[in-house]
Amino acid sequence: MTRQIRTSPAACDQSLHQAYDTALLDLDGVVYAGGRAIGHAVESLAAARADGMHLAYVTNNALRTPEAVAEHLGELGIPTEAAEVITSAQAVARLIAEQVEPGAKVLVIGGEGLRVALRERGLLPVESADEEGLAAVVQGYGGPDLAWGRFAEAAYAINRGVPWYASNTDLTIPGTRGIAPGNGAAVEVVRIATGADPQVAGKPLPPMHRETVLRTGAKRPLVVGDRLDTDIEGAFNGEVDSLLVLTGVTDAEQLLRAEPRHRPTYVDRDLRGLLSGQPEVVPAAEGFGCGGWTAVALNSGELELREDDEADVEGGADDSGSGADRDPLDGLRALCAAAWTSAGEDVCTLDAAKALARLGL
């Protein structure tokens, strides 16, 4: 059966934390960046939990153990149990364990999170490509201090025919000083040296979604993330709803150009979006309206944004708000509908620079 193409952000009459039983939250760029809590994250998560929503932290970062992540979240003011943290290290360890013998030796290129996850699955982490009986190579984010020689160690084993696995292939990782290379960049180094391709477990691929469902038992989950190509695509692949927050690597222009599998169900500034409903984007006489804004795809190849008192709006477009009271995020939602509808199954190529400048985005 063909899946329906999303052409607009969805509406939700309830607060999201009441409409969904579990939030599957990415960490980097959503809850924290560079080890520091992102604005409004701590209080928003506390409020959602207090009102009955289950929280699970789902990260492609394989560096740290669930216990270390839970401890860090606690230090930020977010009380968390290790069982509430699901990592790509756990997902890739399960994937490997299903394909090798119990107790098999696995060469680790990465951090302690990988080693702990492998032991949990009854596998033996080792450090050298020269280990006799090596069954697999696993690569995960090792942090900025990971020695270059570790990539060479991986290449030696892979070039001898040892199967290669990667926790994830995120090319970048956000931090307090900006965007840094992620595990995907390191995977490319090894790929160039070997010509091989790894089996990948992390978001957006099915092994990570399976690991998350097995560990959380979520019945009506909401994926919350900042990346279109991992968090949102992972939700698409898992056929669950998603909330994109604009606190990480995805900006408004990238959102407008999202292909169908990268289009989130909802979009909001930050985790305060969990505590509110989502407004409806409705067809107008021209384009789409939301919160007093109307977005139109012009024949000239541009996306135009108007305030409703500038346009002849029909069809029930929301004309609430005026002037400075209008929320720029509603303008972005309207622009998403105009861009995605225009693009259909493709990527929107309309120029949105002027429209986004008007919103300050």
Side-chain angles (χ1 to χ4, degrees):
M1 184 175 70
T2 302
R3 192 180 306 185
Q4 185 175 357
I5 297 172
R6 176 167 297 285
T7 57
S8 173
C12 187
D13 293 335
Q14 291 179 281
S15 293
L16 296 182
H17 77 292
Q18 297 171 330
Y20 298 88
D21 70 340
T22 306
L24 306 179
L25 297 131
D26 184 45
L27 286 171
D28 293 301
V30 175
V31 177
Y32 55 63
R36 299 178 184 176
I38 288 173
H40 309 290
V42 174
E43 54 268 38
S44 297
L45 293 172
R49 184 191 289 274
D51 213 17
M53 188 179 216
H54 298 293
L55 305 179
Y57 301 94
V58 185
T59 178
N60 264 358
N61 190 330
L63 177 60
R64 293 186 294 174
T65 65
E67 288 77 12
V69 173
E71 181 180 358
H72 179 212
L73 288 170
E75 292 169 352
L76 296 178
I78 306 170
T80 306
E81 300 293 331
E84 296 173 318
V85 179
I86 300 94
T87 73
S88 62
Q90 294 170 319
V92 77
R94 187 186 297 269
L95 183 64
I96 296 169
E98 292 171 344
Q99 299 181 36
V100 302
E101 295 296 323
K105 296 178 181 179
V106 180
L107 174 62
V108 176
I109 311 300
E112 186 63 15
L114 280 175
R115 295 179 180 87
V116 169
L118 290 169
R119 294 189 191 105
E120 182 184 45
R121 291 288 153 211
L123 302 173
L124 179 63
V126 299
E127 303 302 316
S128 173
D130 296 329
E131 284 278 352
E132 189 173 340
L134 192 62
V137 177
V138 63
Q139 185 173 1
Y141 183 64
D145 297 325
L146 184 67
W148 186 260
R150 300 307 296 159
F151 305 142
E153 206 69 26
Y156 300 149
I158 295 164
N159 282 329
R160 295 169 189 162
V162 179
W164 178 27
Y165 300 80
S167 64
N168 67 297
T169 53
D170 297 35
L171 290 173
T172 61
I173 186 168
T176 54
R177 296 176 60 195
I179 303 298
N183 190 54
V187 166
E188 288 304 309
V189 171
V190 177
R191 193 195 308 271
I192 290 168
T194 63
D197 292 306
Q199 292 188 53
V200 183
K203 297 181 285 188
L205 298 174
M208 189 66 171
H209 182 72
R210 179 180 59 152
E211 191 73 21
T212 300
V213 171
L214 287 172
R215 289 181 181 267
T216 65
K219 302 300 182 185
R220 183 163 167 73
L222 177 68
V223 170
V224 185
D226 70 308
R227 302 185 71 108
L228 301 179
D229 60 349
T230 54
D231 304 315
I232 306 308
E233 185 177 339
F236 177 87
N237 290 338
E239 299 186 6
V240 298
D241 289 347
S242 60
L243 168 65
L244 178 79
V245 291
L246 300 175
T247 49
V249 301
T250 300
D251 62 25
E253 183 176 1
Q254 291 169 327
L255 177 60
L256 296 181
R257 299 187 186 282
E259 59 186 284
R261 61 183 175 165
H262 293 165
R263 296 171 188 169
T265 313
Y266 312 109
V267 58
D268 224 308
R269 286 182 183 81
D270 51 51
L271 287 177
R272 287 175 294 180
L274 283 175
L275 306 178
S276 65
Q278 294 288 307
E280 186 178 11
V281 181
V282 296
E286 290 185 277
F288 296 86
C290 183
W293 299 96
T294 297
V296 182
L298 300 177
N299 292 332
S300 62
E302 290 183 300
L303 283 172
E304 183 177 73
L305 188 66
R306 309 166 184 165
E307 295 183 44
D308 282 358
D309 52 12
E310 299 172 0
D312 178 19
V313 178
E314 300 175 0
D318 182 0
D319 61 359
S320 61
S322 61
D325 294 334
R326 292 191 173 105
D327 186 348
L329 201 61
D330 287 338
L332 178 59
R333 294 178 177 116
L335 284 168
C336 284
W340 298 349
T341 300
S342 173
E345 297 183 3
D346 299 318
V347 173
C348 179
T349 59
L350 300 174
D351 185 356
K354 291 180 181 177
L356 292 177
R358 183 167 187 176
L359 295 174
L361 297 173

